[in-house]
Amino acid sequence: MPEHTPYEPEGVIAGTGAAGASDLAVSEARSLEPAPGGPRDKPRGLWSDAWRDLRRNPVFVISALVILFLVVISIRPSLIASGNPLHCDLTHAQQGSGPGHPFGYDGQGCDVYTRVVHGARTSVTVGVLATLGVALLGSVLGGLAGFFGGIGDAVLSRITDIFFAIPVVLGGLVLLSVVTSSTVWPVIGFMVLLGWPQVSRIARGSVITAKQNDYVQAARALGASNSRLLLRHIAPNAVAPVIVVSTIALGTYISLEATLSYLGVGLKPPAVSWGIDISAASPYIRNAPHMLLWPAGALAVTVLAFIMLGDAVRDALDPKLR
């Protein structure tokens, strides 16, 4: 008597092409399911994607390391320069590099290396505080004008047009020429006064674009207040252009401080500034070029680092470049 083969559903399914493909798809889908307690992919947003791109960008890494070094020596310049930047000895005036003084001496016999290191504190302080003031004032005024519109928006637009018509260096010569203080606060106040219109216009445009999105309209239909719309729904999605512009502008403010100090209307002695040292070294550029090259080089590297950082942040936060 012939033996009967037991009925096997798997064999029947595998015998048909469509069913076999379906069974294979089901098995593959099961194999792709995360194991219980295993890691699951988290939803990524603009900021997480931007941070991932920044970590892989060598331009960002290099510029961030340079800026971190500048911040450290600005907080504790004695870590790499233990001397006094105001201690001078005329017997060493305009001398070149020597043991313990790698950058040589300036026209007053002061150690150039010590003054360059201590000058980083002034430049970083002015740049950071001016950028924070400009970003805060410009974002608040521009954001409110873009959100509410009306006559306030029109008035702010005309005021920004007036400020854009003022040359920055000429405005500094006029406004700071009457200031006798040698601290950084008059220079920071001048930069905030003339710098906020640019950030204000960018913040206004970002808010106008963001408030037209569907999620903002849905939140408004659900009864969200104006303050909640601004702080919870619009501001987080409109702040990226402001951050990019402010990061790039930070280097510009550092160079502006050096320019105003070079012209004699910014910081004044006994303050230590790269602009002051460049101004004092200009008449001796043929006889003692080291007096000019070291502070000018430090200024150029600092400004370049902040501009490169701003470019990297812009590329990471711009969805069109993805």
Side-chain angles (χ1 to χ4, degrees), residues 16-321:
T16 61
S22 175
D23 183 63
L24 179 60
V26 172
S27 63
E28 290 180 352
R30 289 177 178 175
S31 65
L32 293 176
E33 291 181 357
R40 294 178 178 270
D41 291 338
K42 296 181 179 179
R44 291 189 308 219
L46 173 64
W47 299 104
S48 59
D49 286 344
W51 175 239
R52 182 192 60 183
D53 294 341
L54 288 175
R55 288 181 299 176
R56 300 176 179 178
N57 190 345
V59 174
F60 171 79
V61 174
I62 295 174
S63 59
L65 290 177
V66 173
I67 293 173
L68 178 62
F69 174 74
L70 291 171
V71 171
V72 170
I73 65 174
S74 299
I75 298 175
R76 292 290 300 275
S78 59
L79 292 176
I80 59 173
S82 58
N84 185 357
L86 300 180
H87 176 73
C88 304
D89 187 356
L90 287 175
T91 59
H92 299 293
Q94 302 183 29
Q95 290 185 5
S97 60
H101 305 277
F103 293 176
Y105 299 86
D106 64 6
Q108 300 296 323
C110 303
D111 182 40
V112 176
Y113 172 76
T114 304
R115 291 187 64 86
V116 168
V117 173
H118 284 262
R121 169 181 290 182
T122 302
S123 298
V124 173
T125 301
V126 170
V128 170
L129 294 181
T131 301
L132 290 177
V134 167
L136 181 61
L137 181 61
S139 299
V140 171
L141 295 179
L144 293 176
F147 182 78
F148 292 104
I151 187 173
D153 185 19
V155 171
L156 182 67
S157 298
R158 301 292 77 77
I159 293 176
T160 55
D161 291 339
I162 294 174
F163 276 94
F164 279 131
I166 301 176
V168 177
V169 176
L170 179 60
L173 290 174
V174 174
L175 296 178
L176 296 177
S177 60
V178 297
V179 178
T180 58
S181 175
S182 59
T183 62
V184 299
W185 297 111
V187 179
I188 294 174
F190 163 75
M191 293 181 182
V192 173
L193 178 63
L194 292 187
W196 70 267
Q198 180 184 13
V199 176
S200 175
R201 180 161 293 185
I202 293 174
R204 172 183 174 272
S206 299
V207 170
I208 291 176
T209 302
K211 76 176 184 179
Q212 298 175 356
N213 293 327
D214 294 337
Y215 60 86
V216 177
Q217 302 300 328
R220 189 189 300 273
L222 292 174
S225 62
N226 289 333
S227 60
R228 183 177 180 83
L229 289 175
L230 272 172
L231 298 178
R232 296 292 300 275
H233 300 284
I234 295 180
N237 297 281
V239 72
V242 175
I243 293 177
V244 172
V245 172
S246 300
T247 306
I248 298 176
L250 201 156
T252 304
Y253 294 141
I254 291 177
S255 63
L256 178 59
E257 178 273 322
T259 301
L260 295 175
S261 299
Y262 177 85
L263 296 175
V265 296
L267 298 179
K268 303 174 180 63
V272 180
S273 168
W274 292 334
I276 295 176
D277 292 346
I278 293 173
S279 177
S282 297
Y284 309 100
I285 187 172
R286 292 186 177 181
N287 299 329
H290 66 276
M291 296 170 48
L292 176 65
L293 295 179
W294 290 113
L299 176 63
V301 170
T302 302
V303 174
L304 180 62
F306 280 105
I307 292 177
M308 291 170 57
L309 181 70
D311 289 340
V313 173
R314 179 199 59 196
D315 296 341
L317 292 178
D318 191 353
K320 297 179 181 178
L321 300 177

